[in-house]
């Protein structure tokens, strides 16, 4: 089977273009609410141009178009292009937010391509889709495919604390959690918009992940984490790349029960509710850290691999 990857990143993929949207994204303008819509729209226009360029190349035309990660509004804007495809495969990061939007989406699925394959990243969205669209499958975050070598996983020793990207948190909220865990010398990824130097001065025993590092450098930090505390709250119908990576590598996770991914992933046996350990948080983290890494299952990684095979093949 021959495949081509269309990418707005000129350093990645087989077909690329000069993308204004990608340059704006690299400048992190999409982190601003003022510019986010413009950057997202430009990225979508650029990607559409890139896909069309790929179909015009002298190489054999692809028999199927696969969109591995998109949002509902992106697919809506790609409708004309997708209508001409045979069995397009589309994986969505989000889902419609109201019955009216679900009905519009169901009509779209009926119009695009021949026998489209629709997948969603969040299990609760798949369940909700059954009232409107048949045959939607669950395909988790691609971060759940990133399983490290045994030589790395058996050497994990650190506790990690991670705030989600793209949400604001007050310095006071961050300080409260770091005060409870500072004696454990954790690795910490702060939320955006905070002055890291002030936190470094206040917590000299904590290792802070610097902003702007490469994916390879960030993965190096992740590879040291034996227990992960995810400071996410109220992630409704949203997944977590952090949770996917840590579960795939048998790392226990503490996070809030208000997150949809808590309920979705708890059946794999390694999620604990932070609300149940507000009074003994530090002691519970040490308890999990002292357990043997080999006690935990890698069933989530296996599940993710089979899900992606089902979607792609």
């Amino acid at each position: 089977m021959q495949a081509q990857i269309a990418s707005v990143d000129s350093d990645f993929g087989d077909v690329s273009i000069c993308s204004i949207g990608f340059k704006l994204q690299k400048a992190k303008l999409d982190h601003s609410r003022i510019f986010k819509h413009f950057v997202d729209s430009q990225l979508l226009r650029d990607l559409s141009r890139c896909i069309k360029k790929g179909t015009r190349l002298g190489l054999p035309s692809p028999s199927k178009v696969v969109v591995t990660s998109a949002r509902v509004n992106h697919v809506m804007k790609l409708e004309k292009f997708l209508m001409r495809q045979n069995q397009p495969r589309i994986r969505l990061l989000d889902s419609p937010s109201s019955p009216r939007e679900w009905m519009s989406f169901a009509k779209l699925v009926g119009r695009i391509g021949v026998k489209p394959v629709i997948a969603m990243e969040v299990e609760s969205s798949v369940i909700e889709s059954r009232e409107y669209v048949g045959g939607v499958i669950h395909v988790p975050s691609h971060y759940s495919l990133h399983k490290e070598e045994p030589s790395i996983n058996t050497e994990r020793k650190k506790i990690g604390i991670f705030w989600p990207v793209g949400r604001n948190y007050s310095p006071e909220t961050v300080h409260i959690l770091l005060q409870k865990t500072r004696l454990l010398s954790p690795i910490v990824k702060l939320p955006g918009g905070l002055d890291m130097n002030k936190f470094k001065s206040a917590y000299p025993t904590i290792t802070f992940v610097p902003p702007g590092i490469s994916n390879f450098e960030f993965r190096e930090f992740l590879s040291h984490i034996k227990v992960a505390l995810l400071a996410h709250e109220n992630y409704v119908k949203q997944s977590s790349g952090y949770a996917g990576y840590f579960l795939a590598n048998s790392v226990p996770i503490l996070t809030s029960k208000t997150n949809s991914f808590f309920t979705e992933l708890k059946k794999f046996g390694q999620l604990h509710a932070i609300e149940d350990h507000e009074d003994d948080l530090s002691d519970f983290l040490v308890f999990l850290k002292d357990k043997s890494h080999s006690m935990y299952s890698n069933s989530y990684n296996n599940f993710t691999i089979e899900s992606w095979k089902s979607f792609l093949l």
Side-chain angles (χ1 to χ4, degrees):
M1 177 174 20
Q2 186 172 2
Q4 298 177 72
I5 298 175
S7 172
V8 293
D9 182 352
S10 59
D11 295 327
F12 174 76
D14 307 297
V15 183
S16 63
I17 59 170
C18 179
S19 169
I20 296 174
F22 182 70
K23 291 178 179 179
L24 295 175
Q25 187 184 56
K26 286 202 72 173
K28 299 185 178 180
L29 286 183
D30 58 323
H31 290 192
S32 165
R33 291 187 177 182
I34 298 175
F35 296 108
K36 180 172 175 53
H37 177 72
F38 173 74
V39 176
D40 287 349
S41 297
Q42 186 63 51
L43 276 169
L44 187 62
R45 286 193 289 269
D46 293 344
L47 181 58
S48 180
R49 287 194 297 117
C50 191
I51 295 173
K52 290 175 181 176
K53 177 182 175 182
T55 61
R56 292 195 301 265
L57 290 177
L59 299 171
S61 297
S63 59
K64 294 180 176 65
V65 169
V66 179
V67 180
T68 58
S69 300
R71 299 195 178 277
V72 172
N73 66 314
H74 296 164
V75 176
M76 294 284 190
K77 293 176 181 177
L78 287 173
E79 177 182 352
K80 289 183 179 179
F81 173 76
L82 292 171
M83 286 177 68
R84 300 191 296 270
Q85 305 305 317
N86 175 40
Q87 291 186 314
R89 296 172 182 267
I90 302 164
R91 178 176 166 276
L92 297 170
L93 301 174
D94 62 354
S95 62
S97 57
S98 68
R100 177 179 292 181
E101 288 185 7
W102 270 111
M103 293 179 68
S104 296
F105 176 70
K107 292 177 181 177
L108 171 72
V109 173
R111 293 193 299 266
I112 58 175
V114 178
K115 296 181 180 178
V117 177
I118 307 297
M120 291 182 172
E121 184 170 280
V122 181
E123 185 180 39
S124 59
S125 297
V126 175
I127 294 171
E128 188 178 3
S129 74
R130 293 170 185 164
E131 185 177 345
Y132 305 94
V133 185
V136 175
I137 62 176
H138 178 212
V139 181
S141 165
H142 67 88
Y143 290 104
S144 312
L145 298 169
H146 298 184
K147 185 178 178 182
E148 307 287 5
E149 294 295 327
S151 60
I152 292 177
N153 279 334
T154 55
E155 290 299 314
R156 294 176 180 271
K157 292 181 172 62
K158 301 290 289 185
I159 289 169
I161 303 175
F162 300 88
W163 274 267
V165 176
R167 290 200 181 185
N168 295 323
Y169 292 82
S170 69
E172 292 75 21
T173 301
V174 176
H175 276 298
I176 289 172
L177 187 52
L178 296 186
Q179 279 288 337
K180 291 182 178 181
T181 57
R182 69 190 188 284
L183 297 180
L184 304 179
S185 301
I187 293 174
V188 172
K189 178 67 170 70
L190 291 171
L194 298 184
D195 187 339
M196 179 179 291
N197 290 328
K198 290 183 179 180
F199 283 91
K200 280 185 174 181
S201 298
Y203 304 100
T205 62
I206 291 178
T207 299
F208 291 95
V209 179
I213 61 175
S214 68
N215 289 335
F216 177 81
E217 292 170 319
F218 187 57
R219 182 99 168 257
E220 181 68 21
F221 279 103
L222 297 181
S223 70
H224 293 288
I225 306 303
K226 190 174 182 183
V227 180
L229 192 161
L230 304 184
H232 304 50
E233 292 181 339
N234 298 309
Y235 257 52
V236 178
K237 292 200 294 185
Q238 288 181 276
S239 68
S240 164
Y242 287 123
Y245 169 83
F246 287 127
L247 271 186
N249 289 282
S250 305
V251 173
I253 297 168
L254 269 76
T255 194
S256 173
K257 289 186 282 190
T258 63
N259 300 317
S260 295
F261 66 82
F262 179 89
T263 304
E264 177 180 324
L265 302 180
K266 186 170 172 54
K267 61 190 174 187
F268 292 95
Q270 298 179 53
L271 265 77
H272 306 272
I274 196 170
E275 291 89 346
D276 296 340
H277 300 281
E278 290 181 353
D279 296 330
D280 67 335
L281 180 61
S282 181
D283 290 340
F284 187 66
L285 287 168
V286 171
F287 169 74
L288 292 175
K289 181 172 173 285
D290 288 344
K291 284 189 174 183
S292 169
H293 185 274
S294 62
M295 291 181 63
Y296 300 109
S297 165
N298 63 355
S299 59
Y300 190 63
N301 178 249
N302 295 334
F303 167 71
T304 303
I305 290 172
E306 292 306 313
S307 298
W308 275 90
K309 284 182 179 178
S310 176
F311 171 60
L312 295 173
L313 304 178

